[in-house]
Amino acid sequence: MTRPIGLAHLSALHLPPPELVEAAADCGFTSVGTRVHPATASETRYPMAAGSPMSAQTRARLDSTGVSVFDVEVFTLDGMRGRGEWMPVLEAGAALGARVLNVIGGDDDRRRLTDSLAALVRDAHEFGITASIEPISYQKVDTFRAAAVAAEQTGCGIMLDVLHFVRAGGTVSDLAAAPPGAVQVIQLCDGPAAVPHLEAPPRMPLGQDTNGSDRQIESRAKRQVPGTGAFPLIEILTALPGVPVSVEVPDVTFVESHGITEHLHRLMTATQQLITTADNERTEAIR
């Protein structure tokens, strides 16, 4: 296995960050992504401000297990939030030693979005954090190519969520559009070739909203284990050698019926197998 495997918080969003760290360590993940700011208006917020008791508890669990925080999430640039709102998020990330801030482009004024993102990139740099935009198929910045343009203009990184990459019509050849080194992490999951029709679970972790949208239900509540669907995961891993992986597979129904430990164990096993296959295929291609 040639690259680290992290665990995205969305895979176990019901676990507060200190418990997430423990669960990740028990299943062999080397890092976690941690939600320090809500993604949706209806979400319950974990009290993860820098200096808070939960932040200190999380830091202690990180130190005792050897797990690190790779990224913190999630800040949406929506045209209304600015420096006053993102600075506490950066401070929360820095307290955990995070390397990346997950940013969503939700502003339909592209010039304003670019200016805001550039300012956020500069502020994040002061904390040793790379502000990285994640193209999301139902947001204003929806495609990998749009994210690559933003990276070229602002110096931001890119978080490649393969679900949204596929759902927005991305192809492996699109990956060459990004500036070298821009992709900070591959958020790994799988799914069917077309968006499935799904019923929202009666209870969503932290009270997330899905708006009854098939895309949002799939994204937040029902992704597939890597290697079990139709996504071109081997090709993506081969095209981005050495880029860290964060496994992002929320499956609310499975976790309720089988428990979080079984869920995380199956994610780790499947991801290890997938990365090994990708490494072997790349080696053969080089030969």
Side-chain angles (χ1 to χ4, degrees):
M1 186 169 57
T2 59
R3 66 182 95 196
I5 300 175
L7 178 67
H9 206 161
L10 194 60
S11 296
L13 193 57
H14 65 291
L15 295 181
E19 296 179 26
L20 176 73
V21 172
E22 292 282 0
D26 289 345
C27 295
F29 293 94
T30 61
S31 67
V32 294
T34 306
R35 185 158 293 188
V36 301
H37 191 272
T40 62
S42 63
E43 244 177 74
T44 301
R45 179 194 294 253
Y46 284 124
M48 286 294 291
S52 69
M54 185 173 283
S55 176
Q57 292 165 10
T58 305
R59 182 74 259 179
R61 301 285 177 88
L62 294 167
D63 292 342
S64 66
T65 61
V67 171
S68 64
V69 169
F70 183 83
D71 64 283
V72 288
E73 57 180 25
V74 55
F75 194 84
T76 301
L77 291 171
D78 58 5
M80 296 179 286
R81 296 170 176 164
R83 195 167 190 267
E85 289 78 23
W86 71 54
M87 287 298 286
V89 179
L90 291 171
E91 290 165 0
L96 301 173
R99 295 165 49 190
V100 169
L101 169 65
N102 181 314
V103 181
I104 295 172
D107 189 351
D108 56 10
D109 184 325
R110 194 52 61 95
R111 177 173 292 181
R112 181 173 60 197
L113 174 61
T114 301
D115 290 345
S116 296
L117 181 57
L120 176 52
V121 167
R122 290 192 294 270
D123 282 342
H125 181 73
E126 296 301 313
F127 289 91
I129 293 172
T130 301
S132 299
I133 197 156
E134 178 185 347
I136 293 181
S137 58
Y138 45 80
Q139 288 285 356
K140 301 303 180 182
V141 177
D142 55 352
T143 67
F144 185 85
R145 285 188 173 273
V149 170
E152 191 72 51
Q153 293 174 331
T154 69
C156 72
I158 299 173
M159 299 187 76
L160 174 62
D161 183 328
V162 296
L163 174 74
H164 294 298
F165 179 72
V166 172
R167 295 296 178 239
T171 63
V172 175
S173 62
D174 292 338
L175 300 177
V183 179
Q184 301 295 303
V185 62
I186 302 167
Q187 294 178 314
L188 204 64
C189 68
D190 219 329
V195 180
H197 175 66
L198 298 164
E199 296 294 331
R203 294 182 303 277
M204 286 289 292
L206 298 190
Q208 294 175 97
D209 189 9
T210 62
N211 300 312
S213 158
D214 286 336
R215 283 195 180 190
Q216 292 188 34
I217 294 169
E218 181 185 33
S219 175
R220 296 172 183 162
K222 185 58 180 175
R223 302 194 190 197
Q224 291 183 9
V225 173
T228 64
F231 294 173
L233 301 182
I234 296 292
E235 292 86 349
I236 290 171
L237 290 169
T238 301
L240 297 169
V243 174
V245 162
S246 178
V247 186
E248 189 167 61
V249 183
D251 189 340
V252 173
T253 301
F254 184 92
V255 170
E256 285 189 350
S257 60
H258 293 80
I260 190 61
T261 299
E262 184 172 342
H263 178 54
L264 298 186
H265 274 304
R266 69 177 184 149
L267 296 186
M268 174 54 80
T269 298
T271 303
Q272 288 175 324
Q273 293 172 347
L274 189 73
I275 289 175
T276 297
T277 299
D279 288 346
N280 290 341
E281 291 195 8
R282 187 166 185 271
T283 299
E284 287 299 320
I286 293 172
R287 289 176 182 170

